[in-house]
Amino acid sequence: MKQSELFTKTRREAPKDEVSKNAELLIRAGYIHKEMAGAYDFLPLGLRVLNKIVGIIREEMNVLGGQEVYMTALQDRTSWEATDRWDEKKVDIWFKTKLQNETELGLAFTHEEPLTSLMKDHVRSYKDLPSSIYQFQNKFRNETRAKSGILRGREFLMKDMYSFNVDEETHNDFYEKAKIAYKIIYDRLGIGGDTIITFSSGGTFSKYSHEFQTLCEAGEDIVYVDMEKKLAVNREVLNDEVLNDLGLKKENLKECKAIEVGNIFSLGTKFSSALGLNFKDKTGISKPVIMGCYGIGPTRVMGTIAEIWSDDKGLVWPESVAPFSIHLVALFGADGKVEKVASELYRHLSSKGIEVLYDDRQCSAGEKFSDADLIGIPWRYVVSSKTLEADAVEVKDRKTGNVSMKKIQSL
Ligand code: ATP
Ligand code: MG
């Protein structure tokens, strides 16, 4: 893509009411636009990053055997009444609206109820199980605090997977596989090193659920981490019995701020019993399906990466999620030679399938360099009359700042 054609501009200042680092940087660099607190638009650069995050998560969900769907956000009250989650006294984050005929609808803050109901059309016997189903879908939550940029949206993207099994044993087996898949996902997203599996309270079916918490000052959660074991517990379960159970010692735990980037939960038969999702086992006996749910917030993940991978100059994207791999910066001279070489190089790299943002704008070198630092593409290639004297480009690694020369013929 040619930067002269990119409709977004970088800016020196974020909006005055924006207090979070992730949104401030992402707005200044032209990745997102703030509509209002908790509601952001994703612009071309931002959408490219978000799509890469989604792509990585999708690949790992498919490895797990997940089947992708896309469900409506509009919710009819019936199934939510069956689980006692329609009443706003029980769930205080609902956004609700009305049809012309006054029928009340909800905007989904999660999808256990509608998917469990949907599955009743498809699950008859043990032969129809196991299955795992996921989607990427906007969730709506009337959050009281929305001051953390895209870490906490009132509308945000969620990957939610739900598993359906005949018994506890096969459920647990899938749950453990999902845990491993999550670890792989955070590694691939470049935040694996800071992301700690955290024990939190479970339901009636299992003692614990698990959160994936990325250690970060911008986080709204507090976790207690054993750094050596790379294990943590959250506040809910910080007690002697649990620590004993997990082989953790209070004196080895460090209190840290963290961002919950994912959450997996054994649901047991909570939803299947309430909504009547049953199957016939081998002996013909009807039993409720065992369920689990597995969430990740791709928009929150993007904000987390921006918090962790940034410096005083701007964003520093890991290669796996960067909007482009190479930022090709041309410093035009008087003779037109730089323009010719840079344009050829842009076409050549693009034809090899490399994603290049080509800064072909007529502006100063200083402006181009500070924009490149702010936008944060992993590799900056500079073509100037000076580099052409050596038939080379100057290559700068955004992460380390290391600079080297590369011969143009070798590219
Ligand atoms: P939190 O405790 O942060 O409010 P939660 O425990 O309610 O989150 P889940 O319902 O488990 O979150 O949602 C699954 C995932 O969706 C979370 O792990 C997080 O990554 C993401 N998520 C949840 N709420 C938001 C939000 N308001 N904005 C962006 N992402 C979110
Ligand atoms: Mg939580």
Side-chain angles (χ1 to χ4, degrees):
M1 170 171 250
K2 289 186 178 167
Q3 206 166 337
S4 61
E5 290 168 7
L6 188 63
F7 84 83
T8 58
K9 303 280 179 289
T10 58
R11 47 195 272 189
R12 269 181 223 291
E13 310 277 346
K16 289 214 168 46
D17 63 342
E18 188 56 73
V19 291
S20 76
K21 178 165 100 173
N22 68 84
E24 198 179 302
L25 280 171
L26 291 166
I27 291 170
R28 283 183 48 219
Y31 286 78
I32 62 173
H33 170 80
K34 184 176 190 172
E35 286 288 346
M36 60 186 119
Y40 295 87
D41 305 310
F42 286 73
L43 307 179
L45 292 174
L47 188 58
R48 288 179 81 97
V49 174
L50 189 59
N51 283 338
K52 292 205 172 165
I53 295 169
V54 165
I56 288 172
I57 299 171
R58 178 179 283 128
E59 275 177 28
E60 299 303 331
M61 291 301 105
N62 290 343
V63 170
L64 271 179
Q67 297 181 47
E68 188 169 356
V69 297
Y70 181 68
M71 298 175 74
T72 175
L74 297 180
Q75 301 298 309
D76 173 81
R77 66 198 301 153
T78 321
S79 60
W80 299 87
E81 279 174 345
T83 58
D84 200 19
R85 291 213 289 180
W86 182 255
D87 191 340
E88 277 139 75
K89 287 188 204 84
K90 299 277 164 52
V91 173
D92 60 4
I93 51 163
W94 270 116
F95 276 112
K96 288 184 181 164
T97 185
K98 277 189 180 142
L99 296 178
Q100 304 278 5
N101 69 8
E102 297 290 306
T103 306
E104 214 178 3
L105 296 183
L107 298 179
F109 61 92
T110 183
H111 274 83
E112 279 86 358
E113 279 82 348
L115 183 57
T116 307
S117 305
L118 182 162
M119 289 304 275
K120 285 164 69 180
D121 290 348
H122 303 281
V123 174
R124 300 267 175 276
S125 86
Y126 68 94
K127 288 182 198 149
D128 302 321
L129 298 168
S131 74
S132 49
I133 295 158
Y134 74 96
Q135 64 174 342
F136 291 92
Q137 214 263 6
N138 280 7
K139 300 287 190 266
F140 298 85
R141 293 185 181 182
N142 201 341
E143 307 266 9
T144 41
R145 275 187 85 249
K147 292 200 171 122
S148 297
I150 59 170
L151 298 181
R152 185 172 298 284
R154 294 200 165 103
E155 178 185 0
F156 62 95
L157 188 62
M158 194 198 284
K159 183 282 298 174
D160 42 334
M161 175 182 262
Y162 305 89
S163 64
F164 302 87
N165 283 85
V166 294
D167 55 23
E168 209 168 321
E169 198 186 330
T170 54
H171 164 77
N172 289 343
D173 186 47
F174 183 82
Y175 190 89
E176 289 309 313
K177 285 190 183 128
K179 230 191 247 171
I180 295 167
Y182 269 49
K183 193 180 172 323
I184 295 170
I185 289 168
Y186 299 118
D187 283 342
R188 290 183 62 188
L189 293 171
I191 53 174
D194 301 302
T195 302
I196 311 277
I197 190 154
T198 303
F199 288 77
S200 48
S201 61
T204 46
F205 180 74
S206 66
K207 210 164 176 184
Y208 305 110
S209 67
H210 296 87
E211 294 169 350
F212 293 81
Q213 293 276 5
T214 308
L215 304 184
C216 178
E217 274 305 304
E220 293 178 4
D221 290 10
I222 303 278
V223 294
Y224 301 87
V225 192
D226 183 320
M227 292 292 187
E228 230 154 77
K229 293 191 171 150
K230 291 207 93 185
L231 272 187
V233 295
N234 73 7
R235 237 177 214 159
E236 301 168 330
V237 297
L238 180 71
N239 61 58
D240 291 338
E241 192 202 317
V242 168
L243 295 184
N244 237 346
D245 190 27
L246 301 175
L248 296 172
K249 291 208 171 72
K250 214 171 216 153
E251 59 269 27
N252 296 340
L253 298 182
K254 198 176 152 206
E255 187 179 294
C256 301
K257 284 190 172 175
I259 304 167
E260 183 200 303
V261 288
N263 191 336
I264 63 176
F265 211 99
S266 292
L267 298 169
T269 61
K270 184 176 163 191
F271 293 91
S272 51
S273 293
L275 293 159
L277 175 63
N278 301 311
F279 70 98
K280 285 217 159 45
D281 75 4
K282 280 184 181 152
T283 61
I285 296 170
S286 180
K287 289 180 176 166
V289 172
I290 308 281
M291 291 173 54
C293 66
Y294 313 82
I296 297 184
T299 42
R300 181 179 285 184
V301 163
M302 180 168 157
T304 304
I305 298 171
E307 291 281 345
I308 295 216
W309 290 110
S310 51
D311 59 21
D312 53 348
K313 296 194 183 76
L315 296 151
V316 186
W317 295 109
E319 300 206 25
S320 59
V321 299
F324 295 91
S325 305
I326 293 175
H327 202 159
L328 178 63
V329 176
L331 304 183
F332 300 130
D335 59 2
K337 191 171 169 216
V338 168
E339 173 155 33
K340 187 169 166 287
V341 176
S343 306
E344 266 165 27
L345 192 55
Y346 170 58
R347 273 193 298 275
H348 170 69
L349 293 170
S350 302
S351 74
K352 293 211 298 190
I354 299 170
E355 294 172 300
V356 181
L357 180 64
Y358 173 29
D359 191 349
D360 60 336
R361 296 172 304 164
Q362 299 292 342
C363 62
S364 74
E367 211 169 313
K368 289 189 175 197
F369 290 160
S370 65
D371 277 355
D373 282 339
L374 179 60
I375 291 170
I377 292 167
W379 300 99
R380 188 187 76 185
Y381 283 20
V382 175
V383 182
S384 68
S385 342
K386 214 170 113 209
T387 70
L388 290 186
E389 281 168 21
D391 290 320
V393 297
E394 183 203 77
V395 177
K396 184 173 163 204
D397 180 341
R398 177 68 182 88
K399 199 156 135 190
T400 62
N402 289 344
V403 175
S404 61
M405 299 298 281
K406 247 188 193 165
K407 286 279 175 202
I408 288 174
Q409 297 93 302
S410 73
L411 297 172

